[in-house]
């Protein structure tokens, strides 16, 4: 349940209390619990703890740590306001999303192309509910500037950047709300 990280650490994304790059696995400072899942973004990292809470560390320029600030953190910092238990997490370029135990999704951070899925293009530094998914999410995947959720009926909804058709809706139009992908079958 502990976490070790290595590599580039300019923004504290290794969580060891420093900004020193590491070429070998280095223990992350205390998480305040046991890690059960982890998501690594471009310059930030987040972990779900065994009590369903989330801690994040690293770059926070766009609020991607979800702690209500835009202050970089080089040690794990609790992300408040999830409202439920997190069961899966993903970190993108500068945003983070968590799947909650009721099948909803909350996202935070950079939102310039709608990757938070809340119907806006406004950056948010606390977890915010993704607009109606039209079903219960059972898995999420967070990309560079986009996010997708697998629903319990087997359908997929995606949102965010779509310049190369990565949302799978048959267009290259960015979407700031969950949009159904075309039929997978």
């Amino acid at each position: 349940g502990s976490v070790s990280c290595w590599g580039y650490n300019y923004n504290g994304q290794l969580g060891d209390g420093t900004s020193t790059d590491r070429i070998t696995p280095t223990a992350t400072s205390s998480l305040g619990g046991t890690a059960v899942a982890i998501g690594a973004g471009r310059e930030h990292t987040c972990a779900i703890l065994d009590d369903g809470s989330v801690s994040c560390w690293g770059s926070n320029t766009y609020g991607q740590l979800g702690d209500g600030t835009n202050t970089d953190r080089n040690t794990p910092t609790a992300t408040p306001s999830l409202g439920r238990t997190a069961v899966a997490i993903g970190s993108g370029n500068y945003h983070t999303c968590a799947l909650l135990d009721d099948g909803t999704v909350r996202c935070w951070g950079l939102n310039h192309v709608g990757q938070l899925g809340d119907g806006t293009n406004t950056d948010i530094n606390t977890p915010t509910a993704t607009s109606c998914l039209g079903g219960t999410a059972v898995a999420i995947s967070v990309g560079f500037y986009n996010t997708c959720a697998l629903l319990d009926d087997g359908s997929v909804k995606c949102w965010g950047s779509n310049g190369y058709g990565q949302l799978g809706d048959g267009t290259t139009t960015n979407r700031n709300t969950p949009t159904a992908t075309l039929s997978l079958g």
Side-chain angles (χ1 to χ4, degrees):
S2 62
V3 174
S4 287
C5 298
W6 55 95
Y8 186 62
N9 197 27
Y10 181 77
N11 294 295
Q13 59 264 48
L14 303 185
D16 67 351
T18 76
S19 59
T20 303
D21 299 345
R22 307 291 181 176
I23 60 171
T24 59
T26 302
T28 297
S29 298
S30 176
L31 294 166
T34 302
V36 297
I38 194 163
R42 179 176 178 163
E43 297 174 350
H44 74 291
T45 310
C46 293
I48 298 176
L49 306 183
D50 58 352
D51 65 359
S53 65
V54 171
S55 282
C56 298
W57 56 95
S59 175
N60 200 24
T61 304
Y62 302 100
Q64 61 265 43
L65 304 186
D67 67 354
T69 76
N70 292 80
T71 303
D72 294 351
R73 310 285 183 180
N74 62 15
T75 59
T77 302
T79 300
S81 306
L82 286 173
R84 307 263 329 174
T85 299
V87 296
I89 196 155
S91 297
N93 197 31
Y94 297 111
H95 76 292
T96 306
C97 294
L99 171 62
L100 304 182
D101 62 350
D102 63 352
T104 61
V105 175
R106 288 190 176 265
C107 298
W108 55 94
L110 182 67
N111 196 28
H112 72 298
V113 289
Q115 60 265 50
L116 304 186
D118 67 343
T120 76
N121 290 59
T122 303
D123 301 345
I124 299 174
N125 63 13
T126 57
T128 189
T130 296
S131 297
C132 182
L133 290 168
T136 301
V138 296
I140 58 170
S141 181
V142 178
F144 199 66
Y145 290 129
N146 63 305
T147 308
C148 292
L150 172 65
L151 303 186
D152 61 353
D153 65 359
S155 64
V156 175
K157 297 241 177 131
C158 297
W159 55 95
S161 177
N162 198 26
Y164 299 98
Q166 58 268 50
L167 302 187
D169 66 352
T171 76
T172 55
T173 303
N174 296 341
R175 308 287 182 179
N176 62 15
T177 59
T179 303
T181 60
L182 298 178
S183 174
L184 299 175

